[in-house]
Amino acid sequence: MTIHPAPATWRAANLPSNAFSHLTAWAAALWRRAGLLTVERLASAFFAITVLGMLGYAALRPAYNWDLIPYAATALENRYDNPVDLHAETWRQIEADITTPAHLYTLQSGNPYNRDQYENPDHFASQLSMYRVKVGYIAVIRALEPVFGLVRSINLISLAGFTAFAVLSYFWLSRAGARSSLVFAVPLFLLAGAYEMATVATPDMAVGAISVGALMAIRNGKAWTGMSILAASVLFRPDNLILIFALLLAALAFGWKARAYLTAFAAAFAAVVLIADAGGHPGWWAHFWFSNVQIQNDMAGFHPDFSLAAMAKGYMRGLIVGVLNNDWPPLLIGFAGAWALLGRAGKITGKIDHGLLFALMIGIGGKFASFPLPDDRFYFPFIAGIILILLSNWRPRLDAQAD
């Protein structure tokens, strides 16, 4: 049986003038919208599944890095009057939680420095002034310890920081209409070191989350809120002062209202000086020598003479290790190119995003110049902020019907 199509007069007789073309246009727009929503939902699901997978694995398999030991001891030192008792209690709690022989061997005897710190309580106590300056981080460990125990509290802070960072990143990109770009955010965050920071005992993941939250507030026009958050972040890492200073320079260069930035910098700078003095920090040069020139088993009374040769050695070491073994240098170069291309294409037009990108990129240079540690985790707040700003402005369309 042959089926004949309805004549054109049927459409004309049954629909108002131009209604059919309007209907088809509406259907096509709806189809495109449905396709876009599907892609965005898939991107969101991919992001959520990846984040939850990494979070679960990090919770089950934390990385027991050396910094776990001095941070644990710093949290305990307000209860003990002498290095011997502090050393003994620190290791008692560590050994109660970490039962794997391989992990314990690495912490206790994995290298000559670790072995000396394990065997010599006085040398171990002399190191704590470099950890004591993270007063906010230590305070949170002490608050959590009665509930979760010392080691698990330290791990929990990194996991909580990773979770907060992921949630903030999702809302940042969603608000910018860039949920499709979540598929790009995941590998970029991994390259920047997010997963490793979720597993180790350092304040870096928490500082990354705090910094991203502050940058989000600034980008949304809440400079006082964002800068207040950043001023408080120096309690977790005093060197986050560099991000605050970079934002102050951006405010001056791009004509933003600078009062919030100047106030935050002044408050954070004063806090850093007071905390370093109260905590007995050995000073910039002694710490520089320890971290970048030659590690010291005993920091008591360590005040090396200033040396341009030693300084150059420290910077050269940081540069070589940074380029060969870490990802922040190539990421910085690639992001600088992406900024230029997106700006030329008219994708980035506002002063706020150009200013933030300027601050974050010079902040990376300032962070390295002030203390040339090569590890990705030290530059993560800057790199993560750049990733989110670039993706927010690029807003890639992954649906097949993209215009």
Side-chain angles (χ1 to χ4, degrees):
M1 181 176 67
T2 303
I3 299 176
H4 298 284
T9 54
W10 182 89
R11 293 197 302 267
N14 289 275
L15 293 172
S17 176
N18 294 325
F20 186 77
S21 59
H22 286 307
L23 181 61
T24 54
W26 176 82
L30 182 63
W31 178 260
R32 287 196 297 271
R33 181 65 175 166
L36 180 59
L37 286 174
T38 299
V39 170
E40 290 184 339
R41 287 171 180 166
L42 287 172
S44 298
F46 170 73
F47 183 80
I49 292 169
T50 305
V51 166
L52 290 173
M54 290 189 291
L55 188 63
Y57 193 77
L60 294 173
R61 298 290 299 273
Y64 297 115
N65 56 311
W66 167 255
D67 284 342
L68 171 67
I69 314 303
Y71 279 127
T74 306
L76 291 169
E77 68 174 344
N78 62 338
R79 307 170 209 177
Y80 296 92
D81 295 328
N82 64 81
V84 174
D85 291 342
L86 175 62
H87 187 269
E89 177 60 18
T90 299
W91 279 105
R92 185 191 71 77
Q93 295 213 29
I94 295 296
E95 291 168 356
D97 272 288
I98 304 175
T99 57
T100 308
H103 288 147
L104 282 175
Y105 175 81
T106 299
L107 291 172
Q108 295 169 351
S109 305
N111 56 58
Y113 172 81
N114 287 20
R115 177 177 288 277
D116 180 85
Q117 300 304 306
Y118 179 63
E119 295 176 347
N120 195 315
D122 289 318
H123 288 182
F124 178 67
S126 75
Q127 313 290 307
L128 301 186
S129 62
M130 295 182 288
Y131 297 85
R132 201 177 292 133
V133 292
K134 283 95 167 184
V135 292
Y137 183 58
I138 299 302
V140 175
I141 295 172
R142 288 173 177 167
L144 294 175
E145 182 200 351
V147 179
F148 299 102
L150 192 59
V151 173
R152 291 177 185 174
S153 295
I154 295 172
N155 292 336
L156 182 61
I157 295 171
S158 294
L159 294 172
F162 180 81
T163 303
F165 169 75
V167 171
L168 288 168
S169 298
Y170 178 83
F171 280 111
W172 181 317
L173 294 175
S174 294
R175 181 167 181 169
R179 272 198 294 166
S180 294
S181 64
L182 288 166
V183 298
F184 300 102
V186 168
L188 289 172
F189 290 153
L190 287 175
L191 282 173
Y195 172 72
E196 287 82 0
M197 288 189 295
T199 66
V200 297
T202 69
D204 298 295
M205 193 68 253
V207 172
I210 292 168
S211 299
V212 164
L215 292 171
M216 182 188 298
I218 294 168
R219 190 171 186 264
N220 292 332
K222 299 176 181 178
W224 280 101
T225 300
M227 294 309 296
S228 297
I229 293 170
L230 282 180
S233 74
V234 301
L235 301 178
F236 276 72
R237 277 204 72 95
D239 57 1
N240 219 35
L241 180 68
I242 294 167
L243 175 55
I244 299 171
F245 183 61
L247 287 166
L248 172 60
L249 294 180
L252 297 173
F254 286 82
W256 303 345
K257 293 180 180 179
R259 185 176 298 176
Y261 302 90
L262 185 59
T263 302
F265 176 73
F269 183 82
V272 168
V273 172
L274 291 172
I275 289 168
D277 183 63
H281 190 268
W284 178 82
W285 178 241
H287 198 163
F288 182 98
W289 190 291
F290 173 91
S291 298
N292 302 295
V293 181
Q294 179 64 53
I295 197 167
Q296 302 294 310
N297 291 339
D298 186 5
M299 289 293 290
F302 179 65
H303 300 291
D305 294 333
F306 181 77
S307 167
L308 284 175
M311 190 175 188
K313 177 183 177 182
Y315 279 105
M316 186 60 65
R317 170 195 170 275
L319 183 62
I320 292 172
V321 176
V323 170
L324 294 181
N325 298 335
N326 293 274
D327 295 311
W328 65 266
L331 285 174
L332 177 61
I333 294 170
F335 291 155
W339 180 18
L341 291 173
L342 289 172
R344 185 172 183 180
K347 292 280 190 178
I348 306 176
T349 56
K351 276 187 177 182
I352 187 67
D353 279 349
H354 279 297
L356 287 174
L357 287 169
F358 170 78
L360 293 167
M361 290 194 180
I362 66 168
I364 292 174
K367 190 73 174 281
F368 184 84
S370 66
F371 212 84
L373 292 171
D375 300 26
D376 288 323
R377 63 188 177 93
F378 297 112
Y379 306 93
F380 182 78
F382 304 89
I383 293 293
I386 293 170
I387 291 169
L388 289 167
I389 294 169
L390 291 178
L391 291 179
S392 296
N393 286 277
W394 180 29
R395 291 191 295 274
R397 289 280 300 275
L398 303 178
D399 57 309
Q401 299 293 331
D403 295 332

